[in-house]
Amino acid sequence: MQQLNVVWLRNDLRSFDNAVLSSAAEDGARTGAVVIALYIATPKTWQLHDMAPIKQDLIRRRVKQLQQELATLNIPLLAVEGSSYQQIPAVFKQLGQHFLLKVFVQSEYELREQQRDNAVDQAVLALNGQFIRFDTQCIMPPGSVRTQQGDIYKVFTPFKRSWLAQLKQHGVSCYARPKPVAQVELKLPDFPPLKAGDNSSAEWPVAEQDVLQLMRAFCREKVQDYQTARDFPAIEGTSKLSAYLAIGVVSAAQCIARLQLEAADSWQQDKSGAEVWLSELIWREFYKHILLAYPDLIKHQPFQAETAAIRWSNNPLLFKAWCDGMTGYPIVDAAMRQLNQTGWMHNRLRMITASFLVKDLHIDWRWGERYFMSKLIDGDFAANNGGWQWAASTGTDAAPYFRIFNPVSQSEKFDPNGDFIRFYVPQLSKLQGKAVHWPHGAGTANGYPAPVVDHGEARKHTLALFAEVKKKA
Ligand SMILES: Cc1cc2nc3c(=O)[nH]c(=O)nc-3n(C[C@H](O)[C@H](O)[C@H](O)COP(=O)(O)OP(=O)(O)OC[C@H]3O[C@@H](n4cnc5c(N)ncnc54)[C@H](O)[C@@H]3O)c2cc1C
């Protein structure tokens, strides 16, 4: 029986620095196995995970593009329209009727993904095949960064210190793009072909070279100002690579290798733009490490157990006002409209809107976590859960519960000219000066809603909610 090396792609939709692809190709060259790539869309499971339509579209567009890119390596990409994870073992069983399978995958850390991989592993094993996992989603695989006592870090700063020590020791290396493999005529079983998406992500380029170009340009031209520019949503001061990191069009290793090249003098300098950007990439890893170590997080449990008892008000009308960008707090509304209209939101605004939902509207952070997931092009379970739990003061490095963002002073500080607000809230576009941050003085502007809550009162209520559970704990 012909051996088939199957590169089962999931969140690693790239041909450069892809351990799975390179290893399968290398193995094929050595053993004479035929190499194919496989992608299986699972819209039913995506729905279960609240995956945003814009993210689904980005994936579909990227897979079609990758099909062309892998064709230049003579590696056919079999792109299959499936439905749920439960169906996937059957795809491998069908392939296994014709070929001896060696399946190469990058490990994933969420619960259903682990169950899916275990089921496929069993199915492939039963066919006398092999299922080979590569732990390459992070530069330092989860579990590999530990305290001297061998424990997992629960706090970011010592994790980062230890992570950086490992980086200095081992450096960062990227897999080369594989060389073209020998061309073979292959008859594969018929599967339903991948459907096209709704094109909602059309503004996001999907060619690998274009994405690498964006990453390189950021490291060359923008990273030196990142430590200051990153906090101002009216400025394009961040990389906007999150959507590509989430589905693996670019890897964290590629980002850091390029950063070290372009910012050789400054990336180790405390609080330089390059060092702060590197920190953000380490945050990404931190949350993935935490997720694997604490599987209850995947079940949406708070990291700080006592906060599960907080008596949230969960008012559906206030939740709707927040979702629609109609709270009467301009910076919150502008941010939510950015999310609804573009599928992306600036980090500073993610912090402000998350804090507002939890600490001004007293709505369970899980409602917000879910809403973000259903809209974000870069939706990533670990980063989203980590971000929400941070903002809600229920997580690992959580903001202390008594530190509550004032949405108006945040607005004055981080959108000082009101440019971002005016862009997304046209009702306020004519307001000048400070009025744009709080337009409720002399008659509300242009049908813009009155504030749905009083921040001062809401703040007191939040302190009481947390005090109640902290006292019991
Ligand atoms: C409530 C909340 C929800 C969030 N949800 C997500 C999410 O679903 N997906 C997601 O990728 N990020 C999420 N973040 C983190 C962060 O807001 C985004 O990664 C960032 O805004 C993406 O923009 P960028 O690519 O320009 O980031 P840059 O500032 O250029 O940072 C580079 C990369 O580092 C990573 N990163 C940056 N900040 C963080 C962080 N705080 N935590 C983890 N990784 C980080 C991202 O991969 C990002 O692309 C969330 C943050 C909060 C507060």
Side-chain angles (χ1 to χ4, degrees):
M1 218 183 209
Q2 170 74 59
Q3 186 184 313
L4 190 69
N5 283 2
V6 182
V7 182
W8 179 19
L9 297 165
R10 293 93 64 92
N11 285 330
D12 50 349
L13 299 176
R14 62 182 179 274
S15 66
F16 287 86
D17 189 34
N18 188 326
V20 176
L21 182 71
S22 295
S23 306
E26 225 168 74
D27 182 272
R30 207 177 48 248
T31 61
V34 176
V35 184
I36 67 160
L38 170 70
Y39 186 84
I40 309 169
T42 50
K44 259 197 177 158
T45 306
W46 292 349
Q47 205 177 2
L48 202 66
H49 292 174
D50 301 307
M51 190 197 283
I54 192 170
K55 184 178 172 190
Q56 299 187 26
D57 183 57
L58 186 76
I59 292 173
R60 288 180 184 283
R61 288 177 52 237
R62 175 62 197 142
V63 171
K64 300 241 173 193
Q65 178 72 30
L66 187 54
Q67 228 163 9
Q68 294 171 29
E69 290 163 1
L70 291 183
T72 65
L73 301 175
N74 299 326
I75 299 177
L77 196 174
L78 178 62
V80 177
E81 187 67 36
S83 71
S84 67
Y85 284 173
Q86 282 72 20
Q87 222 197 13
I88 293 178
V91 173
F92 286 92
K93 281 181 193 155
Q94 213 173 326
L95 284 171
Q97 287 173 9
H98 308 273
F99 302 98
L100 182 62
L101 299 180
K102 208 170 186 180
V103 181
F104 295 74
V105 298
Q106 173 175 270
S107 295
E108 295 190 346
Y109 311 121
E110 295 84 354
L111 201 59
R112 286 201 191 93
E113 282 66 13
Q114 291 192 41
Q115 289 165 346
R116 172 201 63 193
D117 285 357
N118 291 341
V120 174
D121 191 342
Q122 292 297 315
V124 171
L125 207 63
L127 295 159
N128 294 321
Q130 293 177 60
F131 190 81
I132 305 165
R133 303 176 202 228
F134 291 76
D135 215 349
T136 45
Q137 241 192 83
C138 295
I139 294 171
M140 309 303 165
S144 68
V145 182
R146 289 180 181 268
T147 66
Q148 283 183 343
Q149 290 70 40
D151 298 328
I152 290 289
Y153 286 100
K154 293 181 192 160
V155 175
F156 177 70
T157 306
F159 172 87
K160 175 182 163 185
R161 216 175 292 127
S162 183
W163 191 101
L164 282 171
Q166 289 202 29
L167 183 76
K168 282 201 185 120
Q169 201 182 343
H170 306 300
V172 63
S173 57
C174 297
Y175 285 80
R177 189 173 199 251
K179 293 197 177 70
V181 300
Q183 209 162 9
V184 278
E185 279 300 311
L186 199 61
K187 177 85 188 89
L188 291 167
D190 276 339
F191 292 104
L194 184 74
K195 290 183 186 155
D198 57 13
N199 222 26
S200 52
S201 70
E203 283 181 17
W204 296 76
V206 286
E208 189 164 359
Q209 281 304 338
D210 291 345
V211 174
L212 288 173
Q213 212 38 51
L214 290 174
M215 182 271 283
R216 290 181 194 130
F218 176 80
C219 291
R220 197 174 50 242
E221 292 154 21
K222 290 202 167 168
V223 83
Q224 61 274 19
D225 299 323
Y226 178 76
Q227 78 282 21
T228 44
R230 73 187 186 123
D231 266 323
F232 297 90
I235 300 176
E236 287 257 334
T238 69
S239 69
K240 282 194 115 172
L241 288 171
S242 50
Y244 300 119
L245 281 159
I247 63 168
V249 187
V250 67
S251 71
Q254 286 174 299
C255 293
I256 292 175
R258 180 54 60 163
L259 183 72
Q260 291 181 340
L261 201 73
E262 297 287 354
D265 300 337
S266 65
W267 73 271
Q268 296 187 68
Q269 226 171 60
D270 200 26
K271 301 212 165 33
S272 68
E275 192 267 344
V276 176
W277 196 59
L278 175 60
S279 272
E280 296 306 325
L281 292 164
I282 303 174
W283 270 108
R284 176 180 174 273
E285 304 229 335
F286 176 61
Y287 285 138
K288 288 192 190 298
H289 286 225
I290 286 284
L291 193 66
L292 191 67
Y294 297 93
D296 275 357
L297 295 178
I298 301 171
K299 297 174 193 153
H300 304 274
Q301 293 306 310
F303 191 81
Q304 295 181 29
E306 75 277 10
T307 60
I310 291 180
R311 291 181 300 121
W312 306 110
S313 309
N314 292 344
N315 179 323
L317 290 178
L318 291 180
F319 182 61
K320 184 167 181 340
W322 179 82
C323 293
D324 294 345
M326 294 293 280
T327 65
Y329 282 79
I331 195 70
V332 173
D333 294 342
M336 293 307 291
R337 294 178 197 198
Q338 179 183 42
L339 176 65
N340 293 335
Q341 288 168 31
T342 70
W344 187 84
M345 193 199 281
H346 188 278
N347 180 59
R348 169 61 48 185
L349 302 175
R350 295 188 203 207
M351 295 195 289
I352 294 174
T353 53
S355 171
F356 189 81
L357 183 79
V358 175
K359 293 181 179 168
D360 284 80
L361 304 184
H362 310 119
I363 290 176
D364 191 326
W365 57 273
R366 286 165 280 217
W367 291 31
E369 181 194 21
R370 193 165 177 204
Y371 187 75
F372 265 31
M373 211 59 185
S374 74
K375 294 285 172 188
L376 281 171
I377 191 166
D378 63 20
D380 171 86
F381 188 94
N384 195 40
N385 183 271
W388 272 97
Q389 295 225 39
W390 178 87
S393 305
T394 64
T396 49
D397 263 71
Y401 74 88
F402 47 81
R403 200 172 295 156
I404 297 175
F405 277 172
N406 178 324
V408 179
S409 41
Q410 286 284 313
S411 180
E412 289 172 354
K413 192 164 173 197
F414 296 113
D415 188 24
N417 302 322
D419 294 338
F420 183 82
I421 292 175
R422 278 190 213 92
F423 186 82
Y424 280 104
V425 188
Q427 293 100 320
L428 304 180
S429 63
K430 300 236 160 52
L431 292 187
Q432 297 302 320
K434 284 199 161 191
V436 76
H437 303 289
W438 189 248
H440 305 295
T444 301
N446 245 346
Y448 182 67
V452 290
V453 287
D454 176 87
H455 174 69
E457 290 303 315
R459 185 176 182 282
K460 280 188 216 149
H461 186 60
T462 299
L463 293 177
L465 285 177
F466 274 89
E468 190 184 350
V469 297
K470 295 282 172 192
K471 201 162 69 193
K472 276 189 197 147

